[in-house]
Amino acid sequence: MIRHHLGDSSQKSPQWFDSAHQADILAAFDTVLAAGWHGHDRNHAHGHGHAHSGPRPERVRELGQLAAASALPARAALLRWGALPASVRTQLLSSWYGNHQRTSTAA
């Protein structure tokens, strides 16, 4: 991968069957929803079709509903992960794997 200078960092991903990772993803997803997705509102005001930081708010809600309806915790975690902005994913991966890349920079 071009963006990752560490060879193994590109293979880092949530452990879908790990309850701790599932809980972290759910907490992050709830936080994103509670925040009201204000960052996307600004991006949409510029007339762009989509924001580059994550999926559209309606897509986030759809994924959240699918996750809530899922009987499989791992699938629910995967759906919620897909709804998270890239910056939130990076923070979660850093907390799980201790990546040294941009752990202290503000978005």
XYZ file of all heavy atoms in Angstrom:
823
model
N 0.835 -1.189 0.000
C 0.000 0.000 0.000
C 0.878 1.250 0.000
O 1.888 1.305 0.689
C -0.894 0.013 1.244
C -1.948 -1.069 1.256
S -3.171 -0.783 -0.049
C -4.126 -2.279 0.124
N 0.474 2.238 -0.729
C 1.282 3.445 -0.856
C 1.211 4.289 0.406
O 2.208 4.812 0.869
C 0.798 4.277 -2.066
C 1.001 3.462 -3.345
C 1.554 5.602 -2.144
C 0.427 4.104 -4.573
N 0.014 4.411 0.995
C -0.153 5.309 2.124
C 0.495 4.781 3.399
O 0.758 5.524 4.309
C -1.642 5.554 2.388
C -2.290 6.402 1.304
C -3.717 6.701 1.651
N -4.480 5.476 1.825
C -5.367 5.286 2.801
N -5.595 6.214 3.670
N -6.034 4.156 2.886
N 0.712 3.479 3.477
C 1.249 2.885 4.697
C 2.704 2.516 4.487
O 3.030 1.708 3.635
C 0.458 1.622 5.071
C -0.987 1.901 5.325
N -1.437 2.610 6.407
C -2.092 1.556 4.633
C -2.743 2.690 6.366
N -3.172 2.061 5.297
N 3.575 3.119 5.293
C 4.986 2.801 5.134
C 5.357 1.540 5.898
O 6.376 0.937 5.654
C 5.859 3.974 5.569
C 5.653 4.372 6.993
N 4.630 5.197 7.395
C 6.332 4.051 8.114
C 4.692 5.366 8.710
N 5.704 4.686 9.163
N 4.512 1.110 6.830
C 4.757 -0.144 7.544
C 4.102 -1.281 6.768
O 2.926 -1.201 6.430
C 4.178 -0.080 8.956
C 4.799 1.002 9.863
C 4.082 1.039 11.191
C 6.280 0.713 10.063
N 4.847 -2.308 6.504
C 4.347 -3.391 5.669
C 3.118 -4.078 6.228
O 2.237 -4.479 5.484
N 3.036 -4.202 7.558
C 1.929 -4.973 8.117
C 0.717 -4.105 8.443
O -0.343 -4.610 8.755
C 2.371 -5.717 9.377
C 2.826 -4.771 10.473
O 3.108 -3.606 10.171
O 2.895 -5.202 11.631
N 0.865 -2.781 8.392
C -0.236 -1.921 8.809
C -1.433 -2.028 7.868
O -2.566 -1.823 8.279
C 0.226 -0.472 8.912
O 0.606 0.004 7.636
N -1.186 -2.352 6.597
C -2.284 -2.434 5.647
C -3.175 -3.643 5.938
O -4.291 -3.721 5.461
C -1.749 -2.521 4.217
O -0.969 -3.677 4.059
N -2.657 -4.584 6.707
C -3.436 -5.783 7.022
C -4.212 -5.631 8.319
O -4.981 -6.505 8.680
C -2.502 -6.988 7.118
C -1.755 -7.268 5.821
C -0.698 -8.342 5.983
O -0.638 -9.007 7.002
N 0.131 -8.500 4.977
N -4.014 -4.530 9.021
C -4.712 -4.325 10.276
C -6.178 -4.014 10.012
O -6.501 -3.150 9.211
C -4.103 -3.154 11.063
C -2.631 -3.344 11.392
C -2.426 -4.451 12.384
C -0.982 -4.462 12.865
N -0.626 -5.684 13.581
N -7.037 -4.741 10.680
C -8.466 -4.497 10.579
C -9.107 -4.995 11.862
O -8.487 -5.744 12.622
C -9.061 -5.218 9.369
O -8.955 -6.613 9.539
N -10.335 -4.578 12.136
C -10.987 -5.039 13.354
C -11.130 -6.560 13.369
O -11.275 -7.189 12.325
C -12.364 -4.373 13.292
C -12.169 -3.190 12.410
C -11.145 -3.620 11.402
N -11.070 -7.117 14.549
C -11.344 -8.545 14.712
C -12.857 -8.663 14.891
O -13.387 -8.382 15.960
C -10.598 -9.093 15.930
C -9.090 -8.899 15.863
C -8.477 -9.596 14.664
O -8.748 -10.770 14.420
N -7.657 -8.886 13.908
N -13.544 -9.023 13.815
C -15.001 -8.966 13.812
C -15.640 -9.815 14.892
O -16.732 -9.508 15.366
C -15.547 -9.365 12.445
C -14.962 -8.564 11.327
C -14.208 -9.026 10.290
C -15.039 -7.144 11.146
N -13.823 -7.983 9.489
C -14.318 -6.819 9.984
C -15.653 -6.111 11.878
C -14.190 -5.518 9.518
C -15.527 -4.815 11.411
C -14.811 -4.531 10.246
N -14.977 -10.888 15.309
C -15.559 -11.780 16.309
C -15.090 -11.469 17.722
O -15.449 -12.158 18.664
C -15.240 -13.238 15.941
C -15.900 -13.671 14.670
C -15.222 -13.622 13.469
C -17.232 -14.085 14.664
C -15.841 -13.998 12.281
C -17.863 -14.467 13.482
C -17.169 -14.426 12.292
N -14.287 -10.418 17.861
C -13.788 -10.020 19.182
C -14.800 -9.078 19.827
O -15.124 -8.022 19.286
C -12.434 -9.318 19.012
C -11.792 -8.985 20.348
O -12.420 -8.249 21.134
O -10.679 -9.457 20.598
N -15.309 -9.461 21.000
C -16.364 -8.663 21.635
C -15.880 -7.265 22.013
O -16.653 -6.302 21.976
C -16.904 -9.381 22.879
O -15.859 -9.613 23.811
N -14.597 -7.132 22.351
C -14.057 -5.819 22.697
C -14.063 -4.900 21.474
O -14.410 -3.722 21.569
C -12.647 -5.949 23.253
N -13.679 -5.444 20.316
C -13.695 -4.649 19.093
C -15.126 -4.291 18.718
O -15.412 -3.166 18.300
C -13.026 -5.413 17.940
C -11.528 -5.398 18.016
N -10.726 -5.548 16.907
C -10.693 -5.250 19.071
C -9.447 -5.484 17.280
N -9.413 -5.324 18.585
N -16.046 -5.241 18.877
C -17.457 -4.975 18.576
C -17.978 -3.845 19.451
O -18.679 -2.942 18.974
C -18.286 -6.242 18.793
C -17.995 -7.338 17.779
C -18.593 -8.669 18.177
O -19.294 -8.776 19.172
N -18.316 -9.702 17.386
N -17.623 -3.872 20.730
C -18.083 -2.841 21.658
C -17.489 -1.483 21.298
O -18.178 -0.454 21.358
C -17.721 -3.223 23.090
N -16.202 -1.463 20.919
C -15.551 -0.211 20.541
C -16.195 0.379 19.285
O -16.402 1.591 19.191
C -14.053 -0.434 20.287
C -13.285 -0.660 21.583
O -13.845 -0.414 22.662
O -12.115 -1.075 21.494
N -16.487 -0.485 18.319
C -17.106 -0.019 17.079
C -18.495 0.533 17.361
O -18.877 1.594 16.855
C -17.170 -1.165 16.041
C -15.752 -1.522 15.563
C -18.046 -0.765 14.848
C -15.685 -2.772 14.721
N -19.262 -0.158 18.198
C -20.595 0.311 18.548
C -20.523 1.667 19.254
O -21.287 2.589 18.952
C -21.305 -0.716 19.436
C -22.679 -0.294 19.975
C -23.641 0.042 18.847
C -23.255 -1.391 20.865
N -19.578 1.802 20.181
C -19.436 3.062 20.912
C -19.068 4.201 19.962
O -19.607 5.309 20.062
C -18.377 2.913 22.004
N -18.154 3.931 19.035
C -17.749 4.953 18.073
C -18.912 5.323 17.163
O -19.126 6.504 16.848
C -16.563 4.454 17.248
N -19.667 4.317 16.753
C -20.821 4.560 15.884
C -21.856 5.426 16.605
O -22.382 6.384 16.047
C -21.435 3.222 15.469
C -22.628 3.356 14.562
C -22.460 3.603 13.208
C -23.917 3.237 15.057
C -23.557 3.731 12.359
C -25.016 3.365 14.223
C -24.833 3.610 12.870
N -22.127 5.098 17.867
C -23.084 5.887 18.647
C -22.608 7.326 18.810
O -23.393 8.271 18.765
C -23.312 5.247 20.019
C -24.149 3.978 19.928
O -24.798 3.760 18.885
O -24.150 3.197 20.902
N -21.302 7.487 19.017
C -20.739 8.826 19.170
C -20.906 9.635 17.888
O -21.264 10.818 17.924
C -19.244 8.741 19.536
O -19.120 8.045 20.778
C -18.629 10.124 19.667
N -20.671 8.996 16.751
C -20.819 9.675 15.460
C -22.268 10.105 15.255
O -22.546 11.230 14.835
C -20.346 8.747 14.315
C -20.814 9.280 12.970
C -18.838 8.606 14.339
N -23.200 9.218 15.585
C -24.610 9.568 15.450
C -24.988 10.705 16.390
O -25.706 11.636 16.009
C -25.500 8.353 15.743
C -25.585 7.278 14.663
C -26.618 6.237 15.050
C -25.927 7.874 13.308
N -24.506 10.641 17.617
C -24.828 11.665 18.617
C -24.264 13.028 18.212
O -24.825 14.070 18.560
C -24.293 11.251 19.982
N -23.162 13.010 17.487
C -22.534 14.262 17.068
C -23.355 14.972 15.997
O -23.116 16.136 15.703
C -21.119 13.991 16.559
N -24.287 14.255 15.401
C -25.170 14.882 14.429
C -24.588 15.034 13.036
O -25.205 15.607 12.156
N -23.367 14.516 12.857
C -22.783 14.489 11.510
C -22.632 15.878 10.919
O -22.879 16.131 9.752
C -23.660 13.620 10.598
C -22.832 12.759 9.713
C -22.600 12.963 8.391
C -22.123 11.585 10.064
N -21.781 11.979 7.906
C -21.480 11.119 8.898
C -21.958 10.884 11.245
C -20.687 9.993 8.902
C -21.172 9.757 11.233
C -20.550 9.323 10.075
N -22.247 16.879 11.741
C -22.175 18.264 11.277
C -21.130 18.463 10.190
O -21.292 19.312 9.324
C -21.886 19.201 12.458
C -22.949 19.150 13.514
N -24.261 19.462 13.239
C -22.906 18.816 14.821
C -24.973 19.319 14.347
N -24.177 18.924 15.317
N -20.046 17.705 10.249
C -18.997 17.878 9.253
C -19.491 17.621 7.850
O -19.081 18.281 6.903
N -20.410 16.673 7.696
C -20.925 16.365 6.375
C -21.835 17.465 5.852
O -21.897 17.713 4.671
C -21.677 15.033 6.397
C -20.746 13.871 6.479
N -20.189 13.295 5.366
C -20.250 13.191 7.525
C -19.394 12.307 5.741
N -19.406 12.231 7.048
N -22.543 18.129 6.752
C -23.427 19.208 6.320
C -22.620 20.301 5.619
O -23.039 20.841 4.617
C -24.179 19.808 7.521
C -25.126 18.798 8.140
O -25.492 17.842 7.428
O -25.478 18.951 9.319
N -21.457 20.609 6.168
C -20.618 21.627 5.545
C -20.147 21.164 4.168
O -20.124 21.930 3.226
C -19.407 21.940 6.425
C -19.758 22.781 7.633
C -18.505 23.439 8.207
N -17.429 22.470 8.446
C -17.315 21.754 9.567
N -18.205 21.880 10.514
N -16.316 20.912 9.718
N -19.767 19.899 4.069
C -19.277 19.398 2.790
C -20.372 19.415 1.730
O -20.130 19.722 0.574
C -18.729 17.970 2.947
C -17.415 17.949 3.707
O -16.686 18.928 3.701
N -17.122 16.849 4.359
N -21.586 19.072 2.129
C -22.679 19.046 1.165
C -23.016 20.446 0.677
O -23.515 20.619 -0.419
C -23.919 18.386 1.782
C -23.811 16.893 1.864
N -23.723 16.111 0.736
C -23.781 16.052 2.912
C -23.627 14.839 1.100
N -23.653 14.783 2.414
N -22.750 21.456 1.493
C -23.068 22.831 1.116
C -22.248 23.290 -0.089
O -22.629 24.220 -0.781
C -22.828 23.770 2.296
N -21.135 22.630 -0.348
C -20.292 23.003 -1.466
C -20.774 22.401 -2.779
O -20.197 22.646 -3.820
C -18.842 22.564 -1.218
C -18.202 23.285 -0.072
N -18.052 24.649 -0.037
C -17.674 22.822 1.085
C -17.474 24.994 1.101
N -17.235 23.909 1.795
N -21.815 21.598 -2.714
C -22.379 21.050 -3.932
C -21.724 19.772 -4.407
O -22.029 19.276 -5.477
N -20.831 19.204 -3.605
C -20.207 17.945 -4.002
C -21.176 16.799 -3.751
O -21.970 16.829 -2.811
C -18.915 17.709 -3.220
C -17.871 18.748 -3.499
N -17.317 18.921 -4.744
C -17.294 19.669 -2.709
C -16.447 19.908 -4.697
N -16.422 20.392 -3.468
N -21.103 15.774 -4.569
C -22.032 14.659 -4.442
C -21.816 13.839 -3.188
O -22.738 13.251 -2.661
N -20.577 13.793 -2.722
C -20.311 12.991 -1.534
C -19.128 13.577 -0.767
O -18.278 14.232 -1.345
C -20.017 11.546 -1.918
C -18.807 11.407 -2.791
N -18.840 11.645 -4.143
C -17.535 11.078 -2.502
C -17.627 11.469 -4.645
N -16.812 11.125 -3.682
N -19.134 13.322 0.534
C -18.022 13.787 1.359
C -16.926 12.733 1.349
O -17.206 11.541 1.325
C -18.500 14.035 2.785
N -15.681 13.181 1.395
C -14.590 12.224 1.316
C -14.251 11.607 2.665
O -13.496 10.662 2.736
C -13.352 12.890 0.728
C -12.834 14.017 1.560
N -13.299 15.307 1.440
C -11.908 14.043 2.549
C -12.678 16.071 2.305
N -11.826 15.337 2.994
N -14.819 12.129 3.743
C -14.439 11.640 5.060
C -15.256 10.439 5.520
O -14.957 9.820 6.511
C -14.574 12.768 6.095
O -15.910 13.216 6.140
N -16.318 10.120 4.789
C -17.138 8.985 5.193
C -18.426 8.932 4.395
O -18.664 9.761 3.527
N -19.258 7.941 4.682
C -20.512 7.802 3.947
C -21.503 8.911 4.289
O -21.360 9.616 5.280
C -21.040 6.432 4.395
C -20.317 6.106 5.643
C -19.047 6.889 5.659
N -22.509 9.064 3.459
C -23.537 10.075 3.683
C -24.366 9.740 4.922
O -24.495 8.571 5.284
C -24.473 10.161 2.468
C -23.780 10.572 1.188
C -24.790 10.790 0.078
N -25.737 9.691 -0.072
C -25.479 8.599 -0.786
N -24.320 8.469 -1.393
N -26.375 7.648 -0.875
N -24.939 10.764 5.569
C -25.721 10.519 6.789
C -26.831 9.498 6.599
O -27.066 8.653 7.473
C -26.298 11.904 7.112
C -25.320 12.863 6.519
C -24.800 12.197 5.282
N -27.513 9.548 5.459
C -28.593 8.578 5.248
C -28.046 7.155 5.120
O -28.685 6.190 5.532
C -29.441 8.950 4.026
C -28.678 9.056 2.715
C -28.129 10.449 2.445
O -27.965 11.231 3.413
O -27.878 10.761 1.268
N -26.850 7.031 4.563
C -26.210 5.720 4.450
C -25.799 5.226 5.844
O -25.910 4.038 6.139
C -24.990 5.827 3.530
C -24.245 4.520 3.328
C -25.113 3.495 2.618
N -24.343 2.297 2.336
C -24.880 1.084 2.236
N -26.178 0.921 2.392
N -24.136 0.042 1.974
N -25.325 6.138 6.671
C -24.948 5.775 8.037
C -26.159 5.239 8.790
O -26.088 4.216 9.472
C -24.357 6.998 8.780
C -24.157 6.698 10.254
C -23.041 7.395 8.139
N -27.279 5.925 8.654
C -28.503 5.470 9.330
C -28.932 4.108 8.814
O -29.351 3.236 9.580
C -29.627 6.497 9.139
C -29.473 7.724 10.029
C -30.727 8.570 10.018
N -30.952 9.179 8.707
C -30.478 10.364 8.354
N -29.747 11.062 9.197
N -30.738 10.856 7.159
N -28.835 3.912 7.504
C -29.223 2.640 6.907
C -28.345 1.499 7.436
O -28.850 0.435 7.820
C -29.108 2.724 5.385
C -29.460 1.428 4.676
C -29.215 1.500 3.176
O -28.898 2.595 2.679
O -29.317 0.458 2.510
N -27.043 1.727 7.467
C -26.128 0.703 7.969
C -26.394 0.423 9.450
O -26.331 -0.718 9.905
C -24.677 1.143 7.764
C -24.188 1.095 6.313
C -22.859 1.815 6.166
C -24.075 -0.341 5.841
N -26.699 1.493 10.199
C -27.006 1.315 11.615
C -28.242 0.479 11.831
O -28.295 -0.365 12.735
N -29.254 0.689 11.001
C -30.480 -0.089 11.116
C -30.236 -1.550 10.751
O -30.750 -2.468 11.404
C -31.571 0.512 10.219
C -32.077 1.864 10.719
C -32.924 2.586 9.689
O -33.061 2.140 8.558
N -33.459 3.731 10.086
N -29.441 -1.773 9.716
C -29.101 -3.145 9.328
C -28.321 -3.836 10.443
O -28.558 -5.010 10.748
C -28.281 -3.144 8.035
C -29.030 -2.793 6.754
C -28.057 -2.616 5.599
C -30.061 -3.864 6.426
N -27.401 -3.097 11.053
C -26.597 -3.663 12.136
C -27.478 -4.014 13.330
O -27.326 -5.065 13.950
C -25.502 -2.681 12.550
N -28.410 -3.120 13.663
C -29.277 -3.354 14.817
C -30.189 -4.559 14.580
O -30.560 -5.262 15.528
C -30.115 -2.108 15.103
N -30.539 -4.800 13.325
C -31.433 -5.901 13.004
C -30.692 -7.231 12.850
O -31.308 -8.290 12.814
C -32.198 -5.594 11.717
N -29.370 -7.151 12.773
C -28.583 -8.361 12.547
C -28.472 -9.204 13.811
O -28.262 -8.683 14.905
C -27.179 -7.994 12.062
O -26.389 -9.154 11.919
N -28.611 -10.505 13.652
C -28.465 -11.422 14.779
C -27.002 -11.831 14.982
O -26.680 -12.490 15.960
C -29.321 -12.676 14.557
N -26.137 -11.435 14.067
C -24.730 -11.813 14.142
C -23.893 -10.620 14.588
O -23.785 -9.630 13.851
C -24.243 -12.286 12.774
C -24.993 -13.471 12.169
C -24.534 -13.712 10.740
C -24.787 -14.715 13.014
N -23.317 -10.667 15.782
C -22.517 -9.537 16.278
C -21.384 -9.138 15.330
O -21.099 -7.952 15.165
C -21.971 -10.045 17.615
C -22.951 -11.092 18.045
C -23.423 -11.742 16.773
N -20.750 -10.123 14.719
C -19.638 -9.812 13.820
C -20.132 -9.053 12.591
O -19.486 -8.112 12.135
C -18.920 -11.092 13.403
N -21.288 -9.460 12.059
C -21.840 -8.755 10.897
C -22.275 -7.349 11.303
O -22.078 -6.392 10.547
C -23.018 -9.531 10.313
C -23.716 -8.772 9.196
C -24.603 -9.676 8.346
N -25.421 -8.906 7.427
C -24.975 -8.290 6.340
N -23.693 -8.350 6.037
N -25.792 -7.611 5.559
N -22.861 -7.209 12.479
C -23.274 -5.888 12.954
C -22.071 -4.961 13.082
O -22.125 -3.788 12.710
C -24.004 -6.014 14.291
N -20.973 -5.501 13.607
C -19.754 -4.701 13.751
C -19.228 -4.280 12.383
O -18.802 -3.137 12.195
C -18.692 -5.496 14.516
N -19.266 -5.197 11.433
C -18.796 -4.896 10.080
C -19.643 -3.803 9.442
O -19.124 -2.877 8.815
C -18.832 -6.166 9.229
C -18.441 -6.027 7.750
C -17.034 -5.492 7.611
C -18.559 -7.368 7.054
N -20.952 -3.871 9.623
C -21.841 -2.852 9.055
C -21.577 -1.492 9.682
O -21.507 -0.474 8.994
C -23.304 -3.259 9.279
C -23.807 -4.421 8.422
C -25.137 -4.936 8.942
C -23.930 -4.005 6.968
N -21.438 -1.474 11.006
C -21.180 -0.198 11.682
C -19.815 0.363 11.272
O -19.654 1.568 11.119
C -21.260 -0.377 13.193
C -22.678 -0.640 13.685
C -22.766 -0.627 15.193
N -24.136 -0.860 15.623
C -24.579 -2.016 16.129
N -23.747 -3.030 16.273
N -25.841 -2.148 16.498
N -18.834 -0.519 11.113
C -17.501 -0.083 10.679
C -17.601 0.619 9.335
O -16.957 1.635 9.095
C -16.573 -1.292 10.600
C -15.182 -0.963 10.190
C -14.644 -1.105 8.937
C -14.125 -0.447 11.015
N -13.312 -0.710 8.949
C -12.982 -0.312 10.209
C -14.056 -0.107 12.366
C -11.778 0.174 10.700
C -12.851 0.368 12.854
C -11.730 0.503 12.031
N -18.431 0.072 8.459
C -18.605 0.671 7.143
C -19.230 2.052 7.187
O -19.118 2.823 6.245
N -19.889 2.372 8.290
C -20.550 3.669 8.428
C -19.665 4.714 9.101
O -20.046 5.878 9.173
C -21.848 3.501 9.230
N -18.518 4.308 9.596
C -17.660 5.248 10.320
C -16.789 6.074 9.367
O -16.302 5.552 8.372
C -16.735 4.489 11.287
C -17.417 3.769 12.449
C -16.380 2.980 13.241
C -18.136 4.757 13.346
N -16.564 7.345 9.704
C -15.626 8.155 8.912
C -14.208 7.598 9.028
O -13.870 6.942 10.025
C -15.707 9.543 9.561
C -16.952 9.536 10.387
C -17.191 8.115 10.781
N -13.392 7.886 8.052
C -12.025 7.372 8.034
C -11.236 7.797 9.269
O -10.437 7.021 9.806
C -11.311 7.833 6.767
N -11.455 9.017 9.743
C -10.703 9.498 10.899
C -11.033 8.693 12.152
O -10.158 8.414 12.978
C -10.998 10.982 11.147
O -12.376 11.190 11.383
N -12.299 8.293 12.276
C -12.703 7.493 13.436
C -12.107 6.087 13.334
O -11.631 5.528 14.318
C -14.244 7.428 13.541
C -14.678 6.520 14.689
C -14.812 8.825 13.725
N -12.110 5.534 12.138
C -11.509 4.211 11.935
C -10.035 4.232 12.321
O -9.536 3.303 12.960
C -11.643 3.788 10.474
C -13.052 3.554 10.014
C -13.020 3.034 8.600
N -14.339 3.079 7.980
C -14.594 2.624 6.771
N -13.635 2.099 6.043
N -15.805 2.695 6.267
N -9.345 5.287 11.904
C -7.915 5.400 12.203
C -7.683 5.430 13.710
O -6.764 4.785 14.222
C -7.336 6.664 11.548
O -7.509 6.579 10.135
C -5.852 6.807 11.860
N -8.524 6.177 14.414
C -8.379 6.252 15.872
C -8.598 4.892 16.516
O -7.866 4.499 17.435
C -9.375 7.268 16.444
C -9.042 8.705 16.086
C -10.136 9.675 16.497
O -11.163 9.284 17.030
N -9.907 10.954 16.252
N -9.604 4.156 16.052
C -9.872 2.832 16.609
C -8.715 1.872 16.333
O -8.265 1.159 17.229
C -11.172 2.262 16.023
C -12.468 2.854 16.564
C -13.665 2.317 15.786
C -12.622 2.539 18.045
N -8.233 1.861 15.097
C -7.124 0.973 14.755
C -5.890 1.307 15.576
O -5.162 0.414 16.022
C -6.816 1.060 13.259
C -7.870 0.452 12.334
C -7.543 0.763 10.880
C -7.985 -1.048 12.552
N -5.655 2.598 15.789
C -4.500 3.008 16.585
C -4.637 2.527 18.023
O -3.666 2.088 18.638
C -4.357 4.532 16.558
O -4.063 4.976 15.257
N -5.848 2.605 18.557
C -6.042 2.180 19.943
C -5.897 0.668 20.085
O -5.441 0.178 21.115
C -7.416 2.639 20.451
O -8.457 1.921 19.817
N -6.263 -0.074 19.044
C -6.168 -1.531 19.108
C -4.754 -2.035 18.847
O -4.289 -2.958 19.496
C -7.106 -2.169 18.078
C -8.562 -1.974 18.359
C -9.146 -1.829 19.589
C -9.608 -1.895 17.404
N -10.497 -1.666 19.443
C -10.819 -1.703 18.108
C -9.655 -1.968 16.007
C -12.046 -1.595 17.471
C -10.880 -1.856 15.381
C -12.064 -1.670 16.107
N -4.099 -1.468 17.867
C -2.822 -2.010 17.417
C -1.625 -1.158 17.785
O -0.492 -1.523 17.505
C -2.850 -2.226 15.902
C -3.886 -3.239 15.470
C -5.034 -2.842 14.795
C -3.724 -4.588 15.760
C -5.991 -3.766 14.407
C -4.670 -5.521 15.377
C -5.803 -5.106 14.692
O -6.744 -6.010 14.324
N -1.879 0.005 18.370
C -0.773 0.857 18.786
C 0.020 1.420 17.637
O 1.219 1.633 17.751
N -0.643 1.685 16.529
C 0.050 2.280 15.388
C 0.610 3.638 15.778
O -0.018 4.388 16.506
C -0.903 2.443 14.196
C -1.253 1.103 13.578
O -0.622 0.093 13.855
N -2.271 1.088 12.742
N 1.772 3.955 15.266
C 2.417 5.220 15.608
C 2.071 6.311 14.614
O 2.579 7.416 14.721
C 3.941 5.031 15.657
C 4.365 4.067 16.709
N 4.158 4.289 18.059
C 4.964 2.871 16.620
C 4.621 3.271 18.741
N 5.108 2.382 17.895
N 1.232 6.007 13.647
C 0.943 6.998 12.620
C -0.192 7.933 13.034
O -1.291 7.510 13.308
C 0.601 6.305 11.307
C -0.525 5.290 11.417
C -0.583 4.393 10.211
O 0.350 3.669 9.910
N -1.690 4.422 9.506
N 0.117 9.192 13.131
C -0.843 10.265 13.363
C -1.783 10.009 14.534
O -2.977 10.228 14.442
C -1.667 10.484 12.093
C -0.809 10.866 10.904
C -1.666 11.176 9.720
N -2.660 10.139 9.480
C -3.652 10.263 8.589
N -3.778 11.354 7.906
N -4.502 9.271 8.409
N -1.277 9.545 15.642
C -2.143 9.247 16.772
C -2.535 10.518 17.521
O -3.535 10.529 18.212
C -1.455 8.290 17.759
O -0.183 8.826 18.104
C -1.288 6.927 17.132
N -1.771 11.593 17.380
C -2.043 12.789 18.173
C -2.499 13.981 17.333
O -2.698 15.061 17.868
C -0.785 13.182 18.964
O 0.247 13.506 18.076
N -2.675 13.802 16.026
C -3.082 14.919 15.201
C -4.586 15.094 15.220
O -5.333 14.127 15.273
C -2.617 14.719 13.741
O -3.155 13.485 13.266
C -1.114 14.686 13.645
N -5.020 16.340 15.170
C -6.460 16.613 15.115
C -6.923 16.555 13.670
O -6.184 16.885 12.750
C -6.741 17.995 15.703
N -8.164 16.162 13.490
C -8.689 15.990 12.129
C -8.800 17.332 11.421
O -9.251 18.285 11.964
C -10.063 15.332 12.180
